[in-house]
Amino acid sequence: MQTEILKIAIQKSGRLSDSSKKLLKECGIKIKNGGGKLLSPATNFPIQVLNLRDDDIPQYVEDGIADIGILGENVVLEANKQVEIVTRLGFASCRLSLAVPKSDTYTDVSFFEGKKVATSYPQILGDYLQKNQINAEIHKISGSVEIAPSIGLADAVCDIVSSGSTLFSNGLKEVEVIMKSEAVLIKRPQLSEEKQSILDKLLFRIQAVKKAESSKYILLNAPNESIPKIKEVIPGMKSPTIIPLADEGWSALHSVVVEEQFWEVIDQLKAAGAQGILVVPIEKMIV
Ligand code: PRP
Ligand code: ZN
């Protein structure tokens, strides 16, 4: 009988929170009370969701208040706690960048010598400046970093950039990328065997969801003589399914293609004689 419950910390509100909840949902996990409470148990999986400020997640995971967590890699790196990155999750991509007022002339990183830089990432910024042998004053603020230059609090900022609209609307321009980041899943190094096995089940589901997102199911018709060529283009998970059509000399082929190669594959299929190509999303993919 299973007695342990895996506690997962996710961001309560912000850039990652909707996608984190969506991922759990796509893994078939139903969260009680819509997941809005500080602590929300799942009804059909041995997991409990803790909704926290993302900056607090590394500490909670290190202390074992949460067993695992979903947060930005940037936050993990800045916190520098005893936690392990288990997997990257492929959403909430962003960069941690240096930005200066649009009207400033910028040539290279020496611009920051003797300047005052506002950030919520003093560790990462400190390492970066040291590596580039720049002496600058780091001014730590925990929110609304982007307004610091306009109110005279700093000459520049080091902050997360996603679409770039926050910088733009504050009259700033991105000049250096310090790191690229995305959502990751972290765990505390020592998990009980039972909790580890719940995590393994969750990871299995996450992989199936991610795999499905990056794949498409493709159906097409082709004259039989084109089949060998088409099989080379779309090998499928094992090999494509081939079904004869009522029309003599024609077949339907079903297969799976990877999203990144999608348009290239379509061009090759058309050139090989494929017709009536249909592409449909895959919900889950177990390989
Ligand atoms: C970051 C950053 C900006 C915003 C940038 O916040 O501080 O406010 O995202 O996004 P944009 O380029 O699309 O405008 P984030 O949610 O990472 O930080 P927080 O957890 O401190 O709120
Ligand atoms: Zn935060």
Side-chain angles (χ1 to χ4, degrees), residues 59-268:
Q59 185 71 60
Y60 276 72
V61 171
E62 183 184 84
D63 293 345
I65 295 166
D67 300 303
I68 62 171
I70 293 177
L71 73 171
E73 192 185 5
N74 50 299
V75 179
V76 180
L77 216 76
E78 178 65 29
N80 197 21
K81 301 287 174 197
Q82 294 294 312
V83 297
E84 256 171 51
I85 293 181
V86 183
T87 185
R88 309 175 74 79
L89 295 168
F91 62 83
S93 300
C94 63
R95 35 197 200 272
L96 181 64
S97 294
L98 282 159
V100 303
K102 229 178 305 185
S103 52
D104 283 7
T105 312
Y106 185 87
T107 45
D108 57 64
V109 72
S110 67
F111 172 94
F112 295 99
E113 186 65 41
K115 294 270 180 10
K116 199 165 172 183
V117 187
T119 190
S120 313
Y121 297 88
Q123 289 297 332
I124 302 175
L125 175 60
D127 289 350
Y128 176 84
L129 292 174
Q130 198 180 17
K131 229 184 320 164
N132 285 282
Q133 299 176 340
I134 304 286
N135 281 304
E137 188 187 332
I138 298 175
H139 189 74
K140 194 195 165 187
I141 35 183
S142 55
S144 306
V145 170
E146 61 279 354
I147 64 165
S150 63
I151 58 170
L153 205 63
D155 304 302
V157 301
C158 162
D159 201 10
I160 293 298
V161 183
S162 174
S163 64
S165 61
T166 302
L167 289 187
F168 183 79
S169 56
N170 286 282
L172 300 169
K173 60 180 176 190
E174 187 179 10
V175 291
E176 301 288 343
V177 175
I178 297 179
M179 72 173 284
K180 291 208 166 123
S181 178
E182 65 180 87
V184 295
L185 189 136
I186 58 165
K187 70 163 200 163
R188 150 171 97 81
Q190 301 300 333
L191 279 186
S192 70
E193 214 173 296
E194 206 173 334
K195 285 191 174 180
Q196 182 64 47
S197 96
I198 303 170
L199 173 58
D200 290 342
K201 263 186 215 151
L202 176 66
L203 286 171
F204 175 78
R205 294 188 186 190
I206 290 175
Q207 301 309 343
V209 169
K210 283 205 311 195
K211 198 117 191 80
E213 269 170 5
S214 62
S215 306
K216 298 272 178 239
Y217 195 71
I218 185 163
L219 306 89
L220 59 89
N221 295 331
N224 288 344
E225 62 271 18
S226 304
I227 290 175
K229 218 165 174 187
I230 290 177
K231 272 169 79 174
E232 280 174 33
V233 183
I234 45 168
M237 282 163 85
K238 268 212 164 62
S239 65
T241 308
I242 302 175
I243 309 156
L245 290 183
D247 266 6
E248 188 83 18
W250 280 76
S251 298
L253 273 86
H254 296 190
S255 190
V256 172
V257 292
V258 181
E259 178 104 68
E260 295 107 62
Q261 300 160 1
F262 180 73
W263 289 110
E264 205 179 308
V265 165
I266 297 290
D267 288 343
Q268 289 172 15

Side-chain angles (χ1 to χ4, degrees), residues 10 21 25 30-37 40-41 43 49 51:
I10 63 169
K21 283 182 203 146
K25 196 172 165 202
K30 292 202 176 83
I31 310 295
K32 227 171 167 172
N33 342 310
K37 299 257 159 54
S40 311
T43 53
V49 178
N51 293 287

